[in-house]
Amino acid sequence: MIREFFLDDIPGIPFKLFGIVHFLCIIVTIIGIFFVYINRNRIYNLPYNIKKRIKLIIVFTMFINMKLYYIPLMIYGRYDGHVHLPLHFCFISGYLFMYALFFNKPKLYKIIYFFAYIGPIPAILWPDPGMNSSFDSFLFYQFFISHHFFLVSNLFIFYTQNWNFRLKDMFKSFMVAQVIFAVMSIFNAIFDTNYIMSKELPHHIIELFPFLENIKHPVIILELTAIAIIIIACIPIYLRNKEKKENTSLQYAESLL
């Protein structure tokens, strides 16, 4: 029973692309984002110790989630370096996110902030069809934590701090992503892997969007997708900067009275 829970050899409660469970996960994530946003001021005003504890809970939840993903694969002889190394963009982003939070690295977080959108959003919308089961499989929870939980947690951390994001932070994040992609492309060429989809797009994406098959270089799709998602990631930054300006103007006006 434990083996089946971690390996999911026999499909149980189904997880299907655009099925009920898939839409439920998306809805829960949207609710989480909305809840964080409407409580953004309360989140910012939380006591430092509370913020620190929540931050550590996020880090340890994501870290333990990854360990519980890999260790059973090794124990049961299913670990495959061509697939299971932590070199997918979401996993790389997740570990960097954990590092930035645990060691309090604002400069690194400003880069990973955008990564937390670039990796999870496509995976949330078009998850890997290899995940056959949902609530009765650990792989479902692993996927949910690595993507949905990661996305919402990133927004929560964004509102806990008063870090100023500038245009250069966005460009820096984009350039670091290019370096990661280039390194993984070399790795894939040497070891015949396809991490971060540098060699080809997943088959289920081609089935959903057949016209993409005519594009011989997947990097074009990945770059355009990344740019679009970075723009989405800028929305919370824009809204918060707008609020800051409005509050500053209001305080200045009140000081004149």
Side-chain angles (χ1 to χ4, degrees), residues 1-256:
M1 181 178 294
I2 295 176
R3 183 180 187 276
E4 173 59 24
F5 177 69
F6 283 105
L7 299 184
D8 192 27
D9 288 327
I10 304 172
I13 303 173
F15 181 94
K16 295 181 179 180
L17 184 64
F18 304 133
I20 294 176
V21 178
H22 183 198
F23 279 118
L24 178 63
C25 290
I26 293 175
I27 291 170
V28 168
T29 304
I30 293 173
I31 292 173
I33 291 172
F34 179 73
F35 181 79
V36 170
Y37 179 74
I38 62 175
N39 289 284
R40 60 194 181 280
N41 294 327
R42 292 182 180 179
I43 291 172
Y44 177 72
N45 291 318
L46 285 172
Y48 172 79
N49 289 336
I50 299 297
K51 290 181 184 179
K52 185 176 180 179
R53 289 172 188 169
I54 295 176
K55 183 168 65 175
L56 290 176
I57 290 172
I58 291 172
V59 170
F60 284 117
T61 298
M62 294 181 66
F63 182 78
I64 293 172
N65 177 59
M66 293 307 298
K67 298 307 108 180
L68 288 177
Y69 174 58
Y70 288 115
I71 291 176
L73 291 174
M74 294 177 180
I75 291 175
Y76 296 116
R78 293 293 185 84
Y79 190 86
D80 183 356
H82 284 79
V83 179
H84 296 131
L85 291 174
L87 299 176
H88 300 284
F89 193 79
C90 284
F91 292 174
I92 294 172
S93 303
Y95 277 111
L96 291 174
F97 179 74
M98 289 183 255
Y99 179 85
L101 295 191
F102 190 79
F103 293 102
N104 193 29
K105 301 289 184 180
K107 291 183 179 180
L108 177 60
Y109 173 76
K110 289 182 181 182
I111 294 173
I112 306 307
Y113 167 82
F114 295 96
F115 285 15
Y117 289 84
I118 296 173
I121 287 181
I124 289 172
L125 296 177
W126 305 289
D128 187 344
M131 185 172 59
N132 299 315
S133 305
S134 55
F135 301 108
D136 56 344
S137 170
F138 174 74
L139 296 179
F140 170 77
Y141 299 102
Q142 188 277 333
F143 176 83
F144 189 89
I145 293 173
S146 297
H147 301 89
H148 301 70
F149 178 80
F150 182 18
L151 180 63
V152 177
S153 296
N154 178 58
L155 189 63
F156 177 88
I157 295 299
F158 172 76
Y159 285 118
T160 63
Q161 307 296 329
N162 194 30
W163 294 325
N164 290 319
F165 281 75
R166 303 182 184 280
L167 194 61
K168 67 176 183 180
D169 296 314
M170 181 185 69
F171 286 114
K172 187 183 295 184
S173 181
F174 184 75
M175 294 311 298
V176 172
Q178 304 307 303
V179 172
I180 292 174
F181 183 82
V183 171
M184 289 314 307
S185 295
I186 296 172
F187 182 93
N188 290 334
I190 296 174
F191 297 101
D192 191 28
T193 55
N194 189 36
Y195 291 106
I196 315 185
M197 300 175 287
S198 69
K199 294 173 64 176
E200 61 181 0
L201 296 173
H203 295 299
H204 71 289
I205 297 297
I206 299 298
E207 291 179 359
L208 286 171
F209 308 103
F211 65 91
L212 295 179
E213 192 172 9
N214 298 322
I215 300 176
K216 302 303 180 182
H217 302 287
V219 63
I220 297 174
I221 302 301
L222 298 176
E223 294 286 357
L224 292 176
T225 302
I227 291 171
I229 294 177
I230 284 176
I231 293 173
I232 294 174
C234 288
I235 294 175
I237 297 174
Y238 168 78
L239 292 176
R240 189 169 71 168
N241 289 342
K242 184 179 179 181
E243 284 184 345
K244 286 181 179 179
K245 289 181 180 179
E246 290 174 351
N247 291 336
T248 300
S249 299
L250 181 61
Q251 290 173 2
Y252 177 74
E254 289 178 346
S255 67
L256 295 177

